[in-house]
Amino acid sequence: MKTEVLTDLHRLGIGGVAIGTAFENITDEQSFEILQAAWDAGIRYYDTSPWYGLTKSERRFGNFLKEKDRSQFIFSTKAGRLFHEVPESEVPPTMWKNPLNFDFRHDYTADAVKRSIDDSLERTGLEHIDIVYVHDLSEDQVGDRYPYFLEQARKGAFKILSELRDQGIIKAWGMGVNKIEPILDCIESADPDICLSATQYSILEHEDAVDRLLPAVKKAGVKLVSGAGYNSGYLGGRERYNYKEIIPKGMHEKRARMSAIAEEYNISLIDAALHFVLASDEFVSIIPGASRPEQVKDNAEALQAKIPYDFWQELKAEGLIYEKAQIPTE
């Protein structure tokens, strides 16, 4: 039976990609400071994955959270890859700047999901996991093997996660992907509760999600969490977009114009980006990552920022926001 796991207390969470050394080699000490800043700012939703840093991020989250009162926070991680330790010379090339010595394979069978959850509990030292996302079951990650792995998940991951939820072992499950199609495919054949939609819905790019994703999840009673809501730092001025160095055509101009309008209203485009995502009825949380404690504090302050309604009206009037997209009403 579906349950509402994330409440208003969890509208702002923290994601674990950066702590997994995605963009720079963050040390254990730095990761602890980032997570401490999140806790001090009142953030009580923590999301990571064994994929991030080849289990490094998950271990770091666990080292921090296992000392906290388990009833005081929501923790989500992911399943879909299994990891085994290898010599340093055999660590595969990945996006991580300083991963641990592990290799992996994709596996969406029921047995693999159960083992993945057990491995995550052991790595983190936590008593239970609240939300499990089926991770990277998407063409951008598994290529032309997507139909094969989707069928594997339909018979395995989807069924076992529903059983674990119904048994009370986890509270909720869903997809954790960078594309729309896998979420739609999952909804067609299973009963997920909540999905982590990364790179699909931001103030810069959201038209496809408004037309196809949001109506589907609304009809199915599925909620969404926003990953990469700042387009992997692009909205903050970084020259990377959705984890890649290739910037889509026209995006520089769009960002520049939005930034100029934000300056006219004396607001931050990052603040506006956060409020834009949360204005959608389907999104219950946004989980920006952070490479420094200051970024966490900025995100917490952004949640309290007041964005003038005229700002949103101007963006819509110039066609910078899709006319069908929800905007904040206050």
Side-chain angles (χ1 to χ4, degrees):
M1 187 175 69
K2 293 184 180 182
T3 181
E4 296 288 337
V5 179
L6 300 179
T7 68
D8 283 346
L9 179 64
H10 310 111
R11 283 169 63 78
L12 175 63
I14 182 169
V17 171
I19 283 175
T21 70
F23 310 117
E24 55 190 91
N25 183 19
I26 291 174
T27 65
D28 288 342
E29 292 76 18
Q30 288 171 319
S31 71
F32 189 92
E33 291 172 1
I34 292 165
L35 291 169
Q36 186 65 55
W39 189 269
D40 292 344
I43 291 173
R44 295 296 182 267
Y45 175 33
Y46 297 81
D47 172 77
T48 187
S49 166
W51 168 237
Y52 305 158
L54 306 185
T55 78
K56 178 175 278 191
S57 179
E58 201 173 56
R59 295 172 197 274
R60 287 173 164 178
F61 272 66
N63 284 338
F64 178 79
L65 291 170
K66 66 185 180 183
E67 304 301 328
K68 305 298 183 185
D69 181 342
R70 188 61 187 87
S71 67
Q72 296 301 305
F73 64 90
I74 296 294
F75 176 76
S76 60
T77 191
K78 306 179 179 77
R81 294 179 178 90
L82 290 177
F83 294 81
H84 60 277
E85 196 166 359
V86 295
E88 189 170 344
S89 60
E90 296 179 20
V91 176
T94 61
M95 65 185 286
W96 314 109
K97 303 302 182 187
N98 187 17
L100 296 179
N101 294 355
F102 285 84
D103 199 352
F104 65 93
R105 62 182 171 88
H106 289 272
D107 194 328
Y108 297 94
T109 62
D111 286 345
V113 167
K114 287 190 288 186
R115 179 182 154 190
S116 182
I117 291 172
D118 287 343
D119 289 348
S120 292
L121 289 170
E122 184 177 348
R123 281 190 288 263
T124 60
L126 297 177
E127 297 172 2
H128 66 272
I129 296 166
D130 297 295
I131 305 170
V132 176
Y133 295 116
V134 179
H135 202 197
D136 287 344
L137 177 54
S138 179
E139 283 189 13
D140 66 316
Q141 298 293 327
V142 299
D144 59 8
R145 299 197 75 196
Y146 174 68
Y148 167 78
F149 282 124
L150 177 62
E151 187 61 23
Q152 191 180 74
R154 280 174 170 152
K155 295 175 180 177
F158 296 171
K159 287 187 176 180
I160 193 64
L161 287 169
S162 286
E163 290 176 12
L164 293 173
R165 176 196 61 204
D166 295 344
Q167 293 165 11
I169 295 172
I170 62 175
K171 293 180 181 177
W173 74 274
M175 300 294 279
V177 288
N178 301 333
K179 299 292 181 182
I180 290 174
E181 281 73 20
I183 296 177
L184 302 181
D185 288 340
C186 179
I187 288 172
E188 278 186 10
S189 55
D191 62 340
D193 311 273
I194 188 164
C195 291
L196 202 170
S197 175
T199 77
Q200 293 304 299
Y201 194 83
S202 75
I203 196 171
L204 282 175
E205 188 176 14
H206 50 266
E207 293 81 358
D208 197 21
V210 169
D211 285 341
R212 296 198 297 136
L213 178 63
L214 301 191
V217 297
K218 182 177 183 179
K219 183 178 180 182
V222 173
K223 293 300 184 181
L224 295 173
V225 172
S226 168
Y230 301 159
N231 304 106
S232 302
Y234 184 71
L235 275 169
R238 300 291 183 91
E239 289 309 302
R240 60 172 181 256
Y241 188 87
N242 293 352
Y243 307 119
K244 299 177 181 178
E245 294 182 358
I246 300 172
I247 311 300
K249 186 177 180 181
M251 207 54 77
H252 281 307
E253 294 80 3
K254 190 172 186 179
R255 179 180 66 177
R257 183 59 189 141
M258 282 187 168
S259 297
I261 296 173
E263 285 184 20
E264 292 174 9
Y265 286 89
N266 197 30
I267 59 174
S268 160
L269 187 57
I270 287 284
D271 293 1
L274 183 146
H275 284 266
F276 174 77
V277 170
L278 293 177
S280 168
D281 291 337
E282 284 67 51
F283 280 93
V284 293
S285 181
I286 184 170
I287 50 169
S291 300
R292 300 185 306 278
E294 293 76 21
Q295 292 174 324
V296 179
K297 296 171 186 174
D298 289 345
N299 290 330
E301 290 175 3
L303 192 63
Q304 307 303 322
K306 303 298 181 185
I307 312 294
Y309 185 69
D310 288 348
F311 167 77
W312 303 112
Q313 292 291 83
E314 191 165 337
L315 291 187
K316 279 207 169 184
E318 291 200 19
L320 295 167
I321 286 180
Y322 188 31
E323 60 182 8
K324 295 180 183 178
Q326 282 187 273
I327 55 174
T329 55
E330 296 179 1

